[in-house]
Amino acid sequence: MKKYILSIVIWMGCGISFLSCQKEEHDGEQGKAEEEYTLPAPELTISNPFPCINEEVEFSFTTDVVVTQDWNLGDNFKSAEKKVKHTYTKEGTFNIGLELSDGKGGTVQIDTTVSVMGKRLNDALEELVNNPSKKWICAHRGNTYYGKKMAKIPESSIKAIEQAVKTGIEMAEIDVRTTSDHVLVISHNETVDEATNGTGAIAEMTLAKLKSFYLKDQDGNTTAFKIPTLEEALLAGRGKIFFDLDLKDIDPKAVVGLVDSLHMLDRVAFYRGSSKTTNKEISDVNPQCIIFPYVKNTTILDYWSENPRIKMVQLDYTASTATGIVTGAAAKGMASFANYLNEPGEAILSGDYSALDNIVNLQFQIIQTDYAEYVKAYLEK
């Protein structure tokens, strides 16, 4: 009988111990579950979410919590550093992941993207100079033959830039103006009289007033298109085409600031003629700007070549100094840019390519035209 009672006591004791162990395990699991929590989201900083190929991008974050971090930059590159610098070698949209942990059960995952879009202008120009037989085409005011003659697309419009991209050329030239409320827009003329169905000086009207007018095609017919802001124009071609910005006589500070804010300093050339002073005003705003000077003689090449950001120069292909300038520029790693416009440029439509032949024979590598398709087909023969 004593043995039976003892057995019952032992079994009861084991049962209590078993239940106690189960409770401890349950409590432990519950405690563990309670320890898992989400950390406050960090402030993520990407130096350029729209970089060019081979452009260095810096990734960093700030948080008040002591954490370890794991980066996944989307192209099989990973890092456990707090601040990471990385370059992408091809175009595409890359998924960026950042996982933080405080080692106590707290974690947070941040996801975003980086869109790598095209080459840097100076990288592309270096390749151009190193391949003397290669030529670039620049669409004057965004014009192309199809756009100007067939589609009735007005110059200096978003549609013109899109057509230039579609045509497959390398650069678009656009002129920058400022409205009375300090918005940057693109227009070759100071007034809207010729280009739109309105009248008045751009500098004396607000953007809202300017946007009430419609652009005309080259035959004077009113279209459905309006004068775009510079920001609209740049975004229409970002990563697809380079830009030559003719700043006319406006203050470069706002233009440079806008281009920088769009992460496009490596895709845009700033043109302000031949003056050292007016061109220096651009680089004084930001030394990363790519200046695009007009050159009249070989002596001035030494001055411009001191700026490593200058990789192309414009000159008159009919000038007696043209051969020396083109040769000298190439020796200094700069491509030469010629305007194939007005009467000589229009002659191409009637089959007269003599001016274009002169430009090619002089070894110019960038040709600005209103008729990209004609020039492109002739160069590719």
Side-chain angles (χ1 to χ4, degrees), residues 146-343:
Y146 176 82
K148 190 173 182 180
K149 295 292 188 180
M150 306 294 290
K152 304 298 183 182
I153 298 172
E155 67 182 36
S156 302
S157 65
I158 296 298
K159 192 67 175 178
I161 293 170
E162 291 173 345
Q163 183 60 39
V165 170
K166 189 175 180 180
T167 302
I169 56 181
E170 290 79 13
M171 183 176 287
E173 182 265 354
I174 52 178
D175 306 276
V176 185
R177 301 284 180 185
T178 309
T179 64
S180 64
D181 50 349
H182 311 295
V183 179
L184 298 168
V185 297
I186 66 170
S187 174
H188 178 265
N189 298 332
E190 293 181 359
T191 71
V192 298
D193 300 38
E194 183 180 342
T196 76
N197 62 344
T199 60
I202 292 173
E204 297 174 1
M205 63 181 70
T206 64
L207 178 64
K209 180 65 175 178
L210 192 66
K211 288 286 190 179
S212 70
F213 305 135
Y214 291 89
L215 288 166
K216 294 178 181 179
D217 64 25
Q218 71 157 9
D219 296 323
N221 300 311
T222 302
T223 71
F225 306 109
K226 299 186 178 186
I227 291 179
T229 65
L230 177 59
E231 180 173 357
E232 290 168 342
L234 292 174
L235 289 177
R238 182 170 64 184
K240 304 168 189 174
I241 199 167
F242 298 119
F243 284 96
D244 161 20
L245 297 189
D246 188 337
L247 302 194
K248 302 299 183 187
D249 57 354
I250 68 173
D251 188 332
K253 291 186 181 67
V255 181
V256 172
L258 174 63
V259 173
D260 191 17
S261 73
L262 298 177
H263 306 286
M264 292 184 67
L265 284 179
D266 275 323
R267 312 171 202 264
V268 168
F270 297 88
Y271 179 80
R272 287 192 97 190
S274 61
S275 168
K276 292 180 182 179
T277 302
T278 56
N279 278 289
K280 187 175 181 297
E281 288 174 357
I282 299 172
S283 56
D284 283 348
V285 176
N286 190 324
Q288 291 304 304
C289 290
I290 299 173
I291 308 300
F292 174 35
Y294 189 93
V295 174
K296 297 178 181 179
N297 55 62
T298 55
T299 304
I300 197 66
L301 284 174
D302 291 332
Y303 172 81
W304 295 121
S305 65
E306 292 176 0
N307 184 337
R309 298 284 286 173
I310 297 178
K311 297 295 183 183
M312 66 177 179
V313 294
Q314 183 177 158
L315 61 141
D316 181 358
Y317 72 90
T318 67
S320 60
T321 55
T323 299
I325 295 174
V326 172
T327 302
K332 295 179 181 297
M334 296 184 286
S336 294
F337 179 112
N339 279 332
Y340 179 45
L341 304 169
N342 304 319
E343 186 176 340

Side-chain angles (χ1 to χ4, degrees), residues 145 348-351 353 356 371-379:
Y145 173 79
I348 197 173
L349 299 179
S350 59
Y353 291 82
L356 182 56
Y371 307 114
E373 297 90 334
Y374 273 68
V375 174
K376 186 176 182 180
Y378 190 72
L379 295 176

Side-chain angles (χ1 to χ4, degrees), residues 69-100:
Q69 56 282 323
D70 287 298
W71 292 95
N72 185 335
L73 300 187
D75 61 347
N76 296 320
F77 182 88
K78 298 180 180 181
S79 175
E81 299 295 323
K82 183 172 182 180
K83 183 181 294 185
V84 182
K85 295 181 178 180
H86 186 58
T87 58
Y88 292 90
T89 59
K90 62 181 181 180
E91 287 187 311
T93 298
F94 297 88
N95 296 317
I96 310 301
L98 171 63
E99 184 175 348
L100 304 181

Side-chain angles (χ1 to χ4, degrees), residues 10-48:
I10 292 172
W11 278 107
M12 287 177 65
C14 290
I16 293 170
S17 298
F18 176 74
L19 291 173
S20 176
C21 289
Q22 281 191 320
K23 185 176 185 301
E24 288 175 2
E25 289 176 4
H26 176 73
D27 290 344
E29 289 175 358
Q30 187 176 15
K32 183 179 179 181
E34 289 174 353
E35 289 177 1
E36 295 178 355
Y37 52 91
T38 300
L39 295 172
E43 182 179 341
L44 182 63
T45 302
I46 302 175
S47 62
N48 187 351

